[in-house]
Amino acid sequence: MGSTRAVTKAVIPAAGLGTRFLPATKSQPKEMLPIVDKPAIQYVIEEAVRAGLTDILVVTGRGKRAIEDHFDRNFELEYYLEQQAKHDLLKEVQQTSEMADIHYIRQRDPLGLGHAVSVAREHVGDEPFAVLLGDDIMVDDSQLLRSMIDTHARYGRSALALKRVPQAEISAYGCVEPEPVHDGLVQVRSIVEKPAPEVAPSDLAVIGRYVFTPEIFDALDRITPGAGGELQLTDAIGLLLDTQTVYGCVFEDGRYDIGQKVDFLRANIELALDRDDLGGDVAEVLRRIVRERGLLDG
Ligand code: UTP
């Protein structure tokens, strides 16, 4: 058993360049791209808050001011909405700035996800903490994150989110060699970043949710540039495995990688379909598109 201090802090890396989403991300962060009518990172912060994490540190970089502004007050807008008696919108805008205790830190250069997490060290201190990637959204009512926090509470060790992906796609992810513990929980034997499908140890991909013991920071101090020349979080997890057990919580549904164009569009369509105020109209639009373009044929 390790430390069982409660997890209260979340670190949200959002300093990447988002090159897969250019030109949209040239001057705006991909984490601010709207999914229906809410920026992706707001879904992520809401997920953290629902799981009981009230101290949020967002790791930002150059050109990411829009994130800070979004979670700040906007008095001019609030005044306008008040004058126009748009009370629902006013409430929504105010809630965004009151959601949690949100802090910001800059990663001066986008040297990789491992480096982004390491800049959170001073803020996090000697406590367990969660990491939620700002471009990965989960629509599972925070169930996965809660189960990871529970795993930490039970074993006092780190927990990674894992999802089965088609073998051909595993080279886009960190991949683990698992040892089953019980349904939905594995122990991580080893981990490798972006393996070729033929040498991947499994089809279990590491997805953007983590709960770490503070020892991950010592491991982050020791890594050197890995896959893609970046300081990889995966490599630090590999080093952590030398001294501590790491668990993996396997989940099935409810995740969108909005840094990927097709997944971004899927997120927008599915989340709009789920909305009471939009679902019917969006379903009608989709039916018409499918009909007019003959998309069911062949
Ligand atoms: P990604 O690899 O998906 O983000 O990192 P990226 O580098 O912005 O994307 P592409 O590949 O160029 O399109 C996952 C998360 O980690 C953050 C990103 O902002 C994203 O939320 N990240 C990545 C950092 O904060 N710093 C980095 O140096 C790299």
Side-chain angles (χ1 to χ4, degrees):
M1 289 291 272
S3 105
T4 43
R5 279 185 73 167
V7 182
T8 59
K9 291 181 176 168
V11 173
I12 302 184
L17 294 177
T19 54
R20 284 169 300 161
F21 225 121
L22 282 167
T25 47
K26 188 179 170 200
S27 67
Q28 68 165 336
K30 68 174 160 181
E31 295 80 5
M32 284 299 291
L33 292 173
I35 309 300
V36 187
D37 52 8
K38 207 157 63 171
I41 194 167
Q42 188 173 336
Y43 288 88
V44 177
I45 292 184
E46 286 173 357
E47 178 193 341
V49 171
R50 263 197 313 266
L53 309 179
T54 46
D55 179 322
I56 313 264
L57 179 71
V58 183
V59 182
T60 67
R62 265 188 293 286
K64 304 267 183 174
R65 280 283 316 240
I67 298 178
E68 293 178 45
D69 288 344
H70 181 71
F71 294 103
D72 200 352
R73 300 287 302 265
N74 183 335
F75 293 109
E76 209 175 339
L77 177 63
E78 288 175 34
Y79 177 75
Y80 173 80
L81 294 173
E82 178 121 48
Q83 295 296 305
Q84 301 284 319
K86 297 192 169 170
H87 302 297
D88 288 352
L89 279 177
L90 176 64
K91 206 165 129 206
E92 194 152 344
V93 162
Q94 285 172 334
Q95 272 170 356
T96 314
S97 58
E98 289 161 3
M99 233 164 16
D101 198 2
I102 306 180
H103 309 266
Y104 300 91
I105 190 162
R106 287 224 166 190
Q107 181 191 17
R108 280 179 42 196
D109 295 299
L111 300 177
L113 178 57
H115 182 254
V117 174
S118 74
V119 304
R121 184 171 201 159
E122 202 172 322
H123 182 88
V124 169
D126 194 25
E127 288 182 33
F129 65 106
V131 173
L132 292 82
L133 299 194
D135 62 348
D136 248 352
I137 65 173
M138 292 292 307
V139 285
D140 68 341
D141 223 8
S142 306
Q143 274 185 51
L144 170 67
L145 188 56
R146 283 203 188 97
S147 75
M148 296 170 71
I149 293 169
D150 289 348
T151 300
H152 173 268
R154 174 153 186 206
Y155 299 103
R157 293 296 183 231
S158 301
L160 318 176
L162 302 175
K163 188 173 193 293
R164 291 195 191 283
V165 299
Q167 200 76 25
E169 292 171 23
I170 197 74
S171 55
Y173 297 92
C175 173
V176 305
E177 179 192 352
E179 165 96 23
V181 177
H182 59 66
D183 204 24
L185 188 72
V186 301
Q187 246 191 53
V188 175
R189 288 266 161 253
S190 65
I191 186 166
V192 55
E193 181 66 21
K194 298 188 171 61
E198 53 285 9
V199 298
S202 75
D203 59 353
L204 282 173
V206 181
I207 304 297
R209 299 291 179 271
Y210 314 77
V211 171
F212 286 120
T213 56
E215 285 77 11
I216 192 70
F217 290 119
D218 296 329
L220 284 166
D221 273 353
R222 290 162 47 217
I223 55 171
T224 51
E230 295 191 346
L231 291 165
Q232 296 286 355
L233 182 57
T234 301
D235 293 341
I237 298 168
L239 291 179
L240 184 65
L241 279 170
D242 291 342
T243 54
Q244 287 188 352
T245 305
V246 172
Y247 291 89
C249 297
V250 184
F251 73 101
E252 315 244 315
D253 296 314
R255 176 250 181 184
Y256 304 97
D257 173 2
I258 65 98
Q260 225 189 322
K261 289 173 196 172
V262 174
D263 231 20
F264 168 80
L265 294 168
R266 186 171 70 92
N268 269 290
I269 293 167
E270 292 193 351
L271 269 64
L273 285 171
D274 287 344
R275 287 261 297 254
D276 292 341
D277 58 337
L278 292 171
D281 289 348
V282 174
E284 188 44 43
V285 168
L286 289 175
R287 273 194 287 271
R288 201 171 61 226
I289 294 173
V290 167
R291 236 183 1 251
E292 287 175 3
R293 302 192 175 220
L295 290 178
L296 283 181
D297 299 342

